[in-house]
Amino acid sequence: RGRSSFEPSPYDFDRIIQAVDTDSYVRQSFMKFRDLFWKEGWDVVGENPETVDYIYQRLDFMEIAMKRPFQDFLSEVVDQLVKFHNVFIVRARGDLEEFFPGKLYPPEGRKPIVGYYIIPVETVEIKRDQHNRPMKYRQRINEEWQLSSRNGGSMSPEWMAKDVIHLRRDQKTGRAFGTPYLTAVLDDVVALRQIEEDTENLVHRELFPLYKYSIGSEEYPASQAEIEKAANTIEDLRVEGGLILPERHDVDVIGGGEHVLDAAPYLANMKERVANGLGMFPLHL
């Protein structure tokens, strides 16, 4: 028997969106792959010139029906494919007779395709049969669809598989979705940013010296007035802090001065890991 329910993607597409929007390395990688994709532009190629001309004519009328340039649609497709390795394109059908000069013969007596639109990948769920073939696609509008479904209604639009074009890359056996390349590198990106934050804190801490005052000796102990005067002196200095020690106390500041940890090798290693995961050279980042 076929599966009785829709299945969501096993990949966190919302996290990928956040990474592309907020992390400079991830965004640079995405933009470079996208620009490389469009380096040679696009064209319709065929052995029969009349067929090629007909397709171009259909695209012109699709632009009229879609009210957007076909190039914008293709750019959106590529953005989704590069970012998520998945694209869900719905065929929109309608009446073209008022625009198209010739007679159209769509199959099965259906209306001709007048355009395409894309379903956001992060909202798509798929229902498959026992052979892992898609039967239906559903867009999850919000988290209330489960409650609505239990009550006999549906707040989420659905499409039959024949009305949806699913482009995907790196699809694992038995999986309905392609595997985004960013899945393998997001944890490394988070680790790199954490090391950078720790390094920033280290620089900030070592930028200002830590003063140590030793007041008095065994023979001449420090008085309370001397200690208060030293404290006032430290407050007047532009420092992060200080230590005021009486004659019988001493403190060694570990990790300061020449003992500071050199974080450069760790940063370089993590940056190289991130670059490899993004499919880039570190120089490109």
Side-chain angles (χ1 to χ4, degrees):
R1 295 183 303 172
R3 293 174 172 84
S4 59
S5 61
F6 287 85
E7 55 182 306
S9 170
Y11 308 108
D12 191 349
F13 293 125
D14 288 325
R15 191 183 184 205
I16 293 177
I17 294 174
Q18 182 183 16
V20 174
D21 290 343
T22 60
D23 188 86
S24 58
Y25 284 175
V26 176
R27 182 161 189 84
Q28 284 296 320
S29 171
F30 163 69
M31 294 178 64
K32 289 183 183 299
F33 280 124
R34 183 187 61 184
D35 293 344
L36 184 61
F37 193 102
W38 289 114
K39 182 179 179 181
E40 301 296 335
W42 68 278
D43 198 4
V44 178
V45 180
E47 296 180 355
N48 188 338
E50 294 182 359
T51 303
V52 174
D53 292 340
Y54 172 78
I55 292 178
Y56 275 121
Q57 189 180 31
R58 285 297 305 270
L59 294 181
D60 290 339
F61 286 100
M62 282 186 184
E63 289 184 339
I64 298 175
M66 296 168 62
K67 299 181 179 180
R68 62 180 303 191
F70 197 73
Q71 174 64 46
D72 289 354
F73 166 74
L74 294 181
S75 297
E76 189 177 356
V77 170
V78 172
D79 286 357
Q80 297 269 305
L81 186 62
V82 173
K83 191 184 303 181
F84 305 115
H85 280 190
N86 289 275
V87 189
F88 296 93
I89 306 171
V90 178
R91 300 180 178 92
R93 297 182 178 274
D95 190 2
L96 273 181
E97 291 184 359
E98 60 177 319
F99 304 111
F100 202 73
K103 182 67 175 178
L104 298 175
Y105 300 94
E108 302 176 2
R110 309 174 71 185
K111 292 183 178 180
I113 297 175
V114 297
Y116 301 92
Y117 61 93
I118 295 177
I119 315 173
V121 174
E122 66 275 13
T123 65
V124 174
E125 297 175 332
I126 303 177
K127 185 176 183 180
R128 296 184 289 170
D129 61 15
Q130 68 270 27
H131 302 294
N132 291 330
R133 293 175 300 194
M135 299 170 56
K136 290 184 178 181
Y137 294 87
R138 177 171 66 184
Q139 182 182 14
R140 186 179 66 254
I141 299 299
N142 52 44
E143 299 299 332
E144 298 178 357
W145 69 268
Q146 291 181 335
L147 179 61
S148 176
S149 297
R150 296 193 193 101
N151 295 333
S154 177
M155 298 177 60
S156 303
E158 299 181 4
W159 299 268
M160 299 300 295
K162 62 183 178 181
D163 294 325
V164 177
I165 303 171
H166 181 192
L167 306 179
R168 52 197 176 273
R169 293 191 62 193
D170 193 14
Q171 182 184 13
K172 302 295 189 296
T173 303
R175 294 285 183 91
F177 291 81
T179 304
Y181 78 101
L182 291 174
T183 301
V185 75
L186 289 183
D187 289 339
D188 287 340
V189 172
V190 173
L192 172 63
R193 297 311 184 188
Q194 183 62 54
I195 293 178
E196 289 179 341
E197 182 180 353
D198 294 339
T199 304
E200 182 181 355
N201 294 334
L202 179 65
V203 172
H204 181 74
R205 187 185 68 184
E206 297 299 327
L207 186 62
F208 300 97
L210 178 67
Y211 289 89
K212 183 177 74 171
Y213 275 73
S214 295
I215 304 175
S217 64
E218 293 288 345
E219 298 180 1
Y220 303 100
S223 65
Q224 183 64 30
E226 290 178 313
I227 295 177
E228 293 179 355
K229 183 178 180 180
N232 293 332
T233 301
I234 290 180
E235 290 180 357
D236 294 336
L237 297 175
R238 295 178 57 87
V239 297
E240 285 292 295
L243 299 173
I244 301 175
L245 306 175
E247 63 280 356
R248 291 182 299 277
H249 296 261
D250 194 12
V251 175
D252 288 331
V253 181
I254 305 299
E258 66 276 7
H259 303 292
V260 175
L261 176 66
D262 183 10
Y266 302 97
L267 285 171
N269 177 67
M270 286 305 304
K271 183 176 180 180
E272 185 175 356
R273 285 189 57 173
V274 169
N276 291 335
L278 294 174
M280 313 288 292
F281 289 104
L283 181 62
H284 290 162
L285 302 178

